[in-house]
Amino acid sequence: LTIDGPSGSGKGTISRRVASELGWHYLDSGALYRAIGVAAGWADLDLADPAALVRCAFDTRIGFEERSVEGRPGTELRVLVNGLDATDELRTETAGAAASAIAAVAEVRSALKDRQRAFRRGPGLVADGRDMGTVIFPDARWKVFLTASPEERAERRYKQLKDKGVSVTLDDLLREILARDARDANRAVAPLRPAEDAVHIDTTGLGIDAVVERVLALVRPA
Ligand code: DC
C-alpha cells in the first residue's frame, strides 16, 4: 500500500496507524532523505554540490530500530544515522529543507531506490512518501494520494511545533509549505504527483480516525 502526498497532508500519522492496524511493515521514505540531509550537515557538505551528496547517499548508514527512550514508556521506532540516534534532529525544519534540496538530485534518488524496495516484505508494507506509487512501487496493490489545503497543513505543523516548544509563526510556516510544495512538484525528477491509479483523499477538515478508516476500507473492504 503506497501513501503519497505533500508535507502536512497527514501521511506519516495515517501510514503508521494503518500499518499498525494491518500488522504490516512501514517505510518512512522521507526519513531516508532527511537522514542524508542530516549526515550531509554533520559532514559540512555543500548542498549545492550534487557529487558530494550522491557519495553521502551511498555512504550513510541508515537504520530503523525499536528502542526504549529514556524517561518514556515502552519502545518507539528510532532512526539511526551512521549508528547515532538522529530521530529528533530528523524532524527539524533544517533537516526537512536539506532533504527537499537533496531529493531534487536524480542520482541521490536512484541511490535510494533499492534501499526503499528492500522494505517490501510479507505480510505487507505501507510505504509513505512522494513517489511511492509512481516510481518506487508502481506495481503496488493499493495506492492512496492524500491532500489537504495549504492553510490546514500549516496549521497542523504549527500545532506540532508548538507542542514541542518550537517558536514559529503560522505565516512563516505557510510560506515554507508553499515553497516546498512548489519545489517538490516542479523538480525534474520524480516530481510530486499522484499515480494514475491512486485513490485521492482530501483530509481537510477530517480527523485522523476518519482518514485511517477510509484507507483501511480500501484494503479490507466490508
Ligand atoms: O515527508 P518528509 O517531509 O519527511 O520528506 C522530506 C523531504 O524529502 C521532502 O521535501 C520531499 C523529499 N521526499 C521525496 O522527495 N521523496 C520521498 N519519497 C519522500 C520524501
Side-chain angles (χ1 to χ4, degrees):
L1 163 66
T2 59
I3 303 188
D4 290 304
S7 49
S9 57
K11 275 177 311 150
T13 309
I14 305 299
S15 303
R16 269 189 294 272
R17 279 274 303 275
V18 168
S20 131
E21 292 277 337
L22 293 169
W24 287 7
H25 300 278
Y26 167 60
L27 165 63
D28 174 2
S29 62
L32 299 178
Y33 290 94
R34 287 170 182 268
I36 308 296
V38 164
W42 288 349
D44 206 16
L45 300 183
D46 179 0
L47 290 182
D49 178 356
L53 296 177
V54 174
R55 268 196 308 279
C56 183
F58 276 111
D59 294 345
T60 305
R61 284 178 294 120
I62 307 167
F64 295 86
E65 242 180 65
E66 278 292 332
R67 287 191 162 191
S68 56
V69 181
E70 220 184 293
R72 290 216 283 264
T75 59
E76 43 189 85
L77 191 64
R78 307 295 290 180
V79 189
L80 306 186
V81 178
N82 291 331
L84 297 174
D85 188 336
T87 317
D88 299 327
E89 191 171 345
L90 244 53
R91 303 266 52 104
T92 60
E93 294 303 303
T94 313
S100 170
I102 284 171
V105 180
E107 296 92 329
V108 169
R109 303 198 72 87
S110 22
L112 292 180
K113 217 177 240 182
D114 290 341
R115 280 200 194 188
Q116 295 176 81
R117 290 186 175 151
F119 280 83
R120 190 174 207 164
R121 259 170 284 155
L125 173 70
V126 178
D128 148 6
R130 302 290 194 292
D131 61 343
M132 297 297 98
T134 48
V135 177
I136 306 298
F137 304 109
D139 56 338
R141 175 97 180 264
W142 297 281
K143 298 180 185 179
V144 169
F145 194 80
L146 290 185
T147 53
S149 70
E151 291 74 19
E152 172 134 346
R153 290 187 281 132
E155 194 89 43
R156 289 176 186 168
R157 190 82 189 112
Y158 181 70
K159 282 195 194 125
Q160 266 177 3
L161 291 172
K162 230 174 83 182
D163 288 346
K164 282 194 208 154
V166 181
S167 102
V168 279
T169 72
L170 198 53
D171 270 0
D172 282 345
L173 281 178
L174 182 58
R175 247 195 311 279
E176 268 170 40
I177 280 183
L178 291 173
R180 192 178 311 173
D181 277 3
R183 209 162 42 221
D184 291 344
N186 296 322
R187 67 183 176 214
V189 277
L192 174 66
R193 63 175 175 80
E196 270 173 31
D197 47 349
V199 173
H200 292 237
I201 303 178
D202 183 347
T203 70
T204 310
L206 285 182
I208 293 166
D209 289 344
V211 182
V212 168
E213 285 311 313
R214 300 258 288 261
V215 176
L216 285 174
L218 293 174
V219 179
R220 14 172 230 218

